[in-house]
Structure formats: C-alpha cells, structure tokens
Amino acid sequence: MKKLKPYIIGCWYSLPVQLLLLHFKRYPVLLVFWFVLFSTVNGGFMHRFGAHMLYLYPEYLGNVNALSLSLVGAAVAIFIMSWNITTFILHAKHIRFLATTTQPFLKYCINNGILPLLFLGFYFIKSFQYDRSQELLSYTEILLLAGGFFTGFAISIALGFTYFFGADKTLYRFMSPIVKQELQRHKNKFEIANPKRNRDLIRVDWYLSATLKLRRPRSVKHYTGALIDRIFKQHHLVALFSILIAFLSLIVTGFFLDNIYFQLPAAASITVFFAILIAVAGAFAYFLESWSLLFLLVLFLGFNFLYQKNILDARNKAYGISYNNKQTHPVYNRKNLNQTANGNAVQSDSLAFINILNTWKKKQGLEKPEFFIACVSGGGTRAAAFTVNVLSQLDSITAGAFSRKTFLVTGASGGMMGAAWYRELILKNNTPIIDKEVIKKYTDDISGDLLNPIFTSLVARDLLAPPQRFTYENNQYIKDRGYAFEEKLNSNTHGWLNKSIRDYKQAEDSAIVPRLIFNAVITRDGRKLVIGTRPSRFMMHSLHSNQNDTGADIDAIDFMSFFCNQQPGNLRLLSALRMNATFPYILPNVWLPTNPVVDVMDAGFRDNTGVESGLKFLYYFKDWLKENCSKVVLVQISDKVAGGWDNPYESNSIADLFTKPALLTQTNLFRFQEYGQLNQLEWFHHIYGNSFNRVLFTYRPNNKDAAASLSFHLTQREKKDLKLSLMNTENSNAFNKVQLLLK
C-alpha cells in the first residue's frame, strides 16, 4: 500500500483529475449538457419520443449512411471544442502555468479529455448495440457507419486545431516582445511584493504535454498577474470567434432549411446548439458573474413584454384558415358556444348527414347492410403503420367490402395519419383492394422518419433564425417545426395529402370513401375541437345531454361552423393531421383565431382511441341505424394493450413519494379513458342489443420490453415487429370475426 500511495497522490494531483474536479466544484451547471447527451444516448432523456434514435441512427437526405454519421461526428467535435473553449476561459486563472507554454489551448484540451473520451466510448458502445438489435445491421455496415462518424469527428477537430495553431503563432509573435518587456521591468519585484498572489490556485504536480508525455508545470512566480491575464484574454478572443462561427452557421442553416441539403441530421443541429449554449452560459458566468441571474430575469421580462404586445409573435397557426380580420374572430365563451349549437343548427346538420347516410345505404345494394365505424388510436408512427396494416388486411380478406361498408373513421394522432393515408390510396387506386407488395411500400412511406426535421427546425429555425414566412391559400404563416413536420410528411407521402379538407367533401358525401373526423383538444378548458368537411354541430353536445336543456354545457367545438368566417374549408389536410397529433413540446400547439385566443394540442389527451367521438355519432343517429342497418360494428384499432397490465406504474425509489402524485395522472391517462369508454360501450350494448358488435385489433409486441417507441420514427426491428403483431392470435381472431359479421 505504501508503494501505491505515491502513484495515487500523483494521479490525484494530475491536471486531468484536477480539471474534472474543478468542473464539479466551480461550474456544475455546464455539466448539465454532458448529462443530457449521456442520458439521450443511453435512452433515458426523451426516450418516449425517440430522441436516442436521432443520435444512434441519424438520417440525412432520407438515408442513414457514413455521410450522415460524419455530420454527427463533426457536430460532436464542435461541442467538445466549445466545452474546452468555455471551460478554458473560465478556469484559466486556476492553471496559470499554461500561459507560459506554447499552444496552451491544445495542452488544456488534452488534459481536459476525460469527459469527451468517456462520451465517445459510451457512444460507440450504444451505437453498436442499437445497430445490431434495432436496425439489424451487419458488422460491416456498422463498421462503415463508425468510420463515417470518426472521419467527420477527426476532420472537425483537425480544422479547429489548425485554426488555433495559426492563431497561437500570431499571438506568440504579438505577445513575445510584450512578455520580455514586462519580465525585465518587474524582475524580482513582483515575487517579493506578492508572494501569496502567485501561489497556484489548484495543486498540479504534472500534466500531459502536446506529445502525451508527463511534464511538471513551470513556476509563474516571475510573471505579473496582469501579464498572465493579458495572455489568456488574447486566447479568449480567438476562442470566442470560433463559437461565433458555429452560431452563424446554425442561423444560415435555418434560413435555407427548405433546401434538403441544409436539412442536417437533428443530432448534429442539437449538438451544435448545445455547443452554443455552453458558450453563452460560460459568457454569463465570466462577464456577469453574480449578476447573471438578474440579467436573465430582465431578459425574460423584456421578451415577455414584447410577446404580450404582439411585437414578437412566434405562435403556430393552422395553415389555410384566415387570421387577418380580428373583428370576425368568434368569441370563445359559453353563450356563443351554446348559440352555435342551438337546436335548429343541430337539426340542420343532422338532416344533411341523414341524406348522406341514405346515399351510403344505396351504394350497399342491401335492404339492411352492415354499418361499420373505425376508431384508430394515437401512438406516433407506430400507430400509423399498424393502422394501415390492419385496414389493408381487412380489405384484402373481405374483397374490399370493409371500406365500402365503413362510413366513418375517427381517432387521434398517428392512427389518423395512417387512416388518412390509406383513404388517399383508395382514391388514387380507385379500389380498396391493393396488392400486398404495393401496400408494403405505402406502409413504409407513412412510416418514414418525421422526428429528424422537427428537431432540426426547432434548433436551426425556431430558436435561432429570424422568422421566415410562407404563403398558403393567400395567407401568410411562419415557418417553424410545425411547418417542417408537414413538409416532411408531404414528402414522405409523395405530395398526395397536400390538399385542403374541402377537397374531400364530394367523395365523402357521395360515400366513395369513408368520412374522416379529426380531433384536437383545446388547452384552455379541455373541450374537443371536431374537424370535418361539413358542419357537425350535433357532435358539440355530450353523449347524454339534450340540446334543449339550458343547463347542459357544450363539450366540443365544431370547426366548420364556429370558424365559418375564417375560410375553414381551406384548412390544409396536413395541418388537420398535425393538430390531431401535436405531441407536447415536440410539435408546437396550434393557435386559433378566437377572442380570447385559444390553442389546441394532441387529441389523445381527451380521447386517444377515438371511441368517444365514434360512440357520440352512433348515439345521435341510433334511430336511423336501427331502422336501416342489420348490424352496427365498431372496429377499434389500438396501439396499446388493454388493461395496462404490461406497463403498470410502479417505482422502488424514495423519490416516488414526491413524484407519484404528479405523474400518476400522466402515466395512467389512457387507462382512465379506457375505463370510462368500457362503461359507455356496455351502455351501447343495451341500446342496440345484439346488433351492436365491437372488434378490437391491438398492437402487442413480441417482446414487451422492446415495443415500438411512441415517436415519429421507427427502426427496422420495430417495423418488422409491427407486421408480426398483425397476425398474432388475438388479431387473427379479430379478422375472422369481421369476416363472420360480413357473411
């Protein structure tokens, strides 16, 4: 033990170890960025939204290859350089001996390499595991991707140090005569007059040189504090200029984001953004010191004032409808909502729907046909893919009868994306019977990545670049991550969904394709926004209420009638899908032209299955359905196993005592909805008797610990798992049940 003691002491008082401890001691807030990166790559931070995929399998120009990994590698190198630059500026006064060496920044980076090396090793291990288990890649493919990352990383590091080496030479030529002059002028004076001031602020017995050799630090007692500060400040200016270049590059990327070549992998944009944030945080700490918090507070109040005065207005809007004339904006209050859904209006809308139902019945060619309604659940891209798979299989086994007999499809989020895409395929092919190989390609289209452009736009456009505008239906809107989402979805679906909702009115009224009802939740009070091609004010009343009851309150808003003065038919279908699928924080809430202004978000917060809307429709037209249909069949397509047995809320941490009350509702939100809807379904069995049937299709992963993520990205393994789940025992029985009902 005595023999080991000198080595332990030597390691402890080495510059690499002392710098690591200094980070924790002096500026732990800067370590938050490292924590987020480690947690994201490990699958902890924002795992539910697929953030880890952005790093482990980054996409560029629609592909994941050595080029996309090289861009992420370059961004990681920029982050590491920013980390070194910022901490070099902050900690320089504690390691004054570096000022007396050549290339002090290079030596600092080498000795400050513990965290960067740990991250790179951790990243390569997690990438290898992910590529093998999730993307099913071969060792050769993984090696090529790793080579791409290392190439981008190495090039970026080389360019960075080339810049600093050139700057060091310039500084050396500039500062050398000044140093000599200062040393001659203050020879022996400073050391005697200020012996304590020249004492090292941290103990360093050795450090790594530029050639990775062990060196003992030189004494700086014969240097004045002012001289050392001047030397470091010159290096600081050089370092800050490099951060400014990174900041400008992101702004340029935001300006040209519509060009596919500027749509960098989201992991690259996020990492460069973190690099800038580290520099900004360091600048606050360096220049403002204890005034940093006060400055941030004043900055926040300033931006808040500009926002309240509508000088800054970065709110996302629904593309297609008009926000211009504020005098025509409907008043959002109880009186106006009740007036919108008055008895005459509800009767007018319901009579129009009965005419459409009669048209649908004539097309069936039967005296009492089976009436189908489909409810599709939210769940990101996995729900979209699963919905397309189920709908296409139903048409395949019924020779297209399922789509012909389905009058209405409603639901939330990804499920409605899949339903809208499948309906478009029926219109394009003029038949619900589509070849299996063709439908496989179309399923891959709707399963295409949407996560990457959202995060890239969030960093490069929403947070940094000045607002840019575009025109749709003669109205101007701001480009943000909501716009990026729609454009990417439009690209994935070949531009076929780039229509206004009014473009589907004739096909729906003629019963050529099923009618779609989109939903969203108004954050102000939890009411539902119901979006369709024609007014449906009967959907505004709750399931058991009577519109003649003055005490009954409205629980939904009919989009077409409430915004009749804002050109509601011009609403872009892609915007309706986005409003239906607005994940919190991932996509921006959509603000509506009301007085006062309200905004909407994901339909799943109110009804993730679509069952509430579906049952409301069935209840309102129950008399017509009983008289004209032999069966009423509710087909429910869900991306979650019923009952919540697979993922119960449980914790073995003491922190659960504090977090459980806050997280309980969020975790069990969908289960609360399910329990209430099961009671409603039981009630409908009493209303319709044996003519009411429910068929449930559920995505059940083959490995419950490796289910497809709830995000806008799917891995190859997840796509394969979704297809396998289609034919498990439960879903096979459900397909058989539909066939029996149609017979």
Side-chain angles (χ1 to χ4, degrees), residues 13-20 95 97-98 111 202 204 206-207:
Y13 290 113
S14 64
L15 184 56
V17 173
Q18 288 298 308
L19 279 177
L20 182 63
I95 45 176
F97 70 87
L98 284 183
N111 287 274
I202 60 171
V204 177
W206 61 268
Y207 69 97

Side-chain angles (χ1 to χ4, degrees), residues 279-313:
V280 172
F284 275 113
Y286 184 77
F287 292 108
L288 298 175
E289 296 181 347
S290 59
W291 293 93
S292 299
L293 187 60
L294 179 61
F295 180 82
L296 288 174
L297 179 61
V298 172
L299 194 66
F300 170 78
L301 293 175
F303 278 115
N304 188 57
F305 174 78
L306 295 175
Y307 181 77
Q308 289 176 338
K309 298 299 181 182
N310 293 324
I311 298 173
L312 286 179
D313 185 7

Side-chain angles (χ1 to χ4, degrees), residues 227-283:
L227 178 60
I228 292 176
D229 289 343
R230 188 171 181 182
I231 294 171
F232 275 132
K233 281 180 179 178
Q234 295 298 324
H235 284 91
H236 295 170
L237 291 174
V238 173
L240 289 174
F241 181 73
S242 64
I243 294 297
L244 179 62
I245 294 174
F247 177 73
L248 292 176
S249 68
L250 269 186
I251 291 180
V252 170
T253 299
F255 266 112
F256 296 98
L257 204 56
D258 288 336
N259 187 312
I260 60 172
Y261 295 103
F262 283 86
Q263 295 172 9
L264 302 177
S269 301
I270 293 169
T271 308
V272 173
F273 181 62
F274 277 7
I276 295 170
L277 287 182
I278 279 187
V280 172

Side-chain angles (χ1 to χ4, degrees), residues 425-725:
L425 299 181
I426 295 175
L427 282 172
K428 287 287 181 183
N429 292 275
N430 201 30
T431 176
I433 307 174
I434 305 173
D435 183 81
K436 288 187 177 181
E437 289 301 316
V438 176
I439 204 67
K440 178 181 180 298
K441 176 187 177 304
Y442 289 148
T443 305
D444 288 339
D445 291 337
I446 199 63
S447 305
D449 175 70
L450 294 169
L451 202 59
N452 194 73
I454 293 173
F455 277 94
T456 301
S457 179
L458 171 65
V459 172
R461 183 176 272 160
D462 295 22
L463 297 177
L464 294 177
Q468 301 175 62
R469 301 181 182 276
F470 73 101
T471 301
Y472 181 79
E473 294 287 355
N474 299 318
N475 293 299
Q476 281 199 337
Y477 309 95
I478 292 176
K479 294 180 179 179
D480 58 7
R481 65 189 186 279
Y483 170 81
F485 170 86
E486 291 190 23
E487 289 303 295
K488 183 59 175 175
L489 179 58
N490 185 43
S491 174
N492 290 350
T493 54
H494 315 291
W496 295 352
L497 296 179
N498 191 20
K499 302 177 181 179
S500 299
I501 60 172
R502 66 168 183 270
D503 295 331
Y504 293 91
K505 185 174 183 297
Q506 182 178 358
E508 288 184 353
D509 289 352
S510 303
I512 296 173
V513 290
R515 176 176 300 275
L516 296 189
I517 291 183
F518 303 97
N519 303 286
V521 174
I522 297 172
T523 60
R524 181 183 179 89
D525 50 27
R527 286 183 170 85
K528 184 183 291 188
L529 182 70
V530 179
I531 306 172
T533 58
R534 60 167 46 253
S536 309
R537 282 166 284 193
F538 50 84
M539 298 289 286
M540 293 178 65
H541 292 276
S542 62
L543 194 61
H544 302 289
S545 71
N546 182 343
Q547 61 266 23
N548 296 319
D549 180 7
T550 56
D553 210 353
I554 299 298
D555 76 338
I557 313 298
D558 177 57
F559 178 79
M560 291 297 289
S561 56
F562 195 67
F563 295 100
C564 59
N565 295 319
Q566 281 67 47
Q567 304 166 337
N570 289 349
L571 177 68
R572 195 185 194 192
L573 175 66
L574 294 166
S575 289
L577 289 170
R578 178 166 60 87
M579 293 162 71
N580 203 93
T582 302
F583 284 14
Y585 303 112
I586 302 300
L587 287 171
N589 288 5
V590 178
W591 295 75
L592 298 174
T594 59
N595 182 25
V597 173
V598 299
D599 64 306
V600 298
M601 62 189 306
D602 199 302
F605 283 88
R606 168 77 180 266
D607 177 19
N608 192 57
T609 61
V611 169
E612 180 186 3
S613 295
L615 293 183
K616 187 179 288 190
F617 185 91
L618 292 179
Y619 178 73
Y620 197 83
F621 294 102
K622 61 182 181 300
D623 294 335
W624 187 93
L625 291 170
K626 285 181 179 180
E627 182 179 347
N628 293 277
C629 298
S630 60
K631 299 184 184 74
V632 172
V633 184
L634 188 150
V635 174
Q636 188 177 340
I637 303 174
S638 176
D639 79 322
K640 296 178 183 65
V641 178
W645 295 107
D646 288 348
N647 296 292
Y649 180 79
E650 53 188 15
S651 173
N652 57 1
S653 170
I654 193 171
D656 187 48
L657 296 174
F658 305 97
T659 61
K660 189 172 183 178
L663 298 178
L664 183 64
T665 300
Q666 176 187 342
T667 306
N668 292 316
L669 177 64
F670 298 148
R671 291 162 196 160
F672 293 157
Q673 295 178 9
E674 179 187 337
Y675 301 148
Q677 290 168 1
L678 286 174
N679 290 331
Q680 292 177 351
L681 286 166
E682 183 65 27
W683 183 55
F684 266 71
H685 279 288
H686 289 293
I687 293 175
Y688 282 95
N690 293 332
S691 64
F692 181 78
N693 295 268
R694 174 178 174 245
V695 183
L696 177 63
F697 294 91
T698 305
Y699 164 57
R700 184 187 293 275
N702 292 298
N703 181 356
K704 68 177 183 179
D705 296 324
S709 60
L710 179 65
S711 73
F712 289 124
H713 181 91
L714 288 178
T715 67
Q716 293 302 317
R717 190 205 61 78
E718 289 170 344
K719 291 178 182 179
K720 184 177 180 180
D721 190 60
L722 282 164
K723 293 173 184 175
L724 290 174
S725 175

